[in-house]
Amino acid sequence: SCYLQHMCHALQRGTASLDRPLACTLAEWHMMDVKDQSFGFFSPNREPLLEHEQRESFQYGYGFSFVYTKAAWELVKFPDTEWSEDGDFMGRLQLKKVPIELVRSGDAFPLAAHTHHSDSTSGGELYGNVRLGYAVPSPEAFQQLLPTVRRVAADSRVGLGAQHPLRAEMHRVLDGYGYPPTEIRWHEKEQFFKRNPNFGRPVATPQQKSWYQE
């Protein structure tokens, strides 16, 4: 596929051999809400709502985009755990000074669209109950896949903002709401921040693409 070709090319960048420990992961990526097929775009290192440590966690903690050599896997095995095994794997590669390439795509060159479902304990790209990133049009490159997504979305168990019971409980207890909060989606962020100006860091919400520019 185009995605695998692009990632494998990045993995080989600057080296003639894949026999040594190497890894790469996306530096930024598209996101998709399965229920209505709306799309967003997220760049952890340019996300105004995240502190530096959080950006690092988001940048290297999403295993869906990991590509790595067998030598890397043999050097650092995935831990036998139910939570954040991908972040642990990549973190230990970093400690061992294994080269990790960050692959950029830009919102105009879609490589992958990340989503999550209510059977997963992963919360997706959220700050509290607010979606990170900004809304983008449906990428042309993904159009041929959307009929399959729509068939999945027709399942009555797939709902907007659906979340795993554990994730809902974490919001209820850790965020101090007392109840699982309603998810604030990309197109709702501008109005949400107008109503809640003190939410998160005192900077502009990344609802607009222009707010991401450096």
Side-chain angles (χ1 to χ4, degrees):
S1 71
C2 177
Y3 173 75
L4 289 177
Q5 290 174 353
H6 192 87
M7 296 297 283
C8 287
H9 177 74
L11 193 67
Q12 294 178 274
R13 193 170 296 150
T15 182
S17 174
L18 292 178
D19 294 331
R20 64 192 185 98
L22 298 166
C24 66
T25 187
L26 290 176
E28 51 200 6
W29 56 88
H30 283 76
M31 303 166 287
M32 182 190 67
D33 194 311
V34 173
K35 191 62 179 179
D36 66 357
Q37 299 89 59
S38 58
F39 284 84
F41 186 78
F42 177 50
S43 179
N45 282 335
R46 292 186 291 164
E47 173 54 65
L49 284 175
L50 298 178
E51 301 286 355
H52 173 74
E53 294 78 9
Q54 294 171 309
R55 292 179 181 183
E56 182 89 357
S57 177
F58 275 92
Q59 186 71 89
Y60 293 98
Y62 277 90
F64 80 93
S65 73
F66 290 0
V67 176
Y68 46 88
T69 60
K70 182 180 179 181
W73 176 79
E74 290 175 334
L75 178 67
V76 175
K77 300 291 179 63
F78 278 89
D80 183 13
T81 180
E82 297 293 328
W83 188 272
S84 193
E85 71 289 343
D86 41 10
D88 182 276
F89 171 76
M90 194 64 83
R92 287 190 289 137
L93 286 180
Q94 290 176 296
L95 289 175
K96 291 184 177 293
K97 308 300 182 183
V98 172
I100 301 172
E101 182 81 15
L102 292 177
V103 183
R104 298 198 175 277
S105 62
D107 60 11
F109 182 57
L111 285 172
H114 190 222
T115 187
H116 72 280
H117 54 84
S118 59
D119 290 330
S120 171
T121 54
S122 173
E125 296 85 345
L126 288 161
Y127 182 91
N129 63 318
V130 176
R131 278 275 166 205
L132 296 171
Y134 54 84
V136 296
S138 178
E140 182 63 32
F142 298 147
Q143 293 305 307
Q144 62 180 342
L145 300 174
L146 291 184
T148 300
V149 176
R150 293 187 185 103
R151 288 195 293 272
V152 173
D155 191 311
S156 60
R157 294 170 297 178
V158 177
L160 288 174
Q163 54 188 277
H164 190 279
L166 175 61
R167 179 178 156 213
E169 182 68 5
M170 289 173 64
H171 276 308
R172 188 184 69 80
V173 175
L174 299 179
D175 295 346
Y177 288 101
Y179 58 89
T182 300
E183 186 174 291
I184 306 302
R185 303 170 70 220
W186 300 297
H187 68 280
E188 300 170 325
K189 288 173 66 174
E190 188 169 8
Q191 288 302 316
F192 174 81
F193 277 87
K194 286 180 179 179
R195 296 192 304 269
N196 301 273
N198 296 320
F199 180 89
R201 300 178 66 198
V203 294
T205 164
Q207 176 67 20
Q208 303 296 330
K209 177 181 177 180
S210 60
W211 293 344
Y212 265 80
Q213 307 306 317
E214 295 178 344

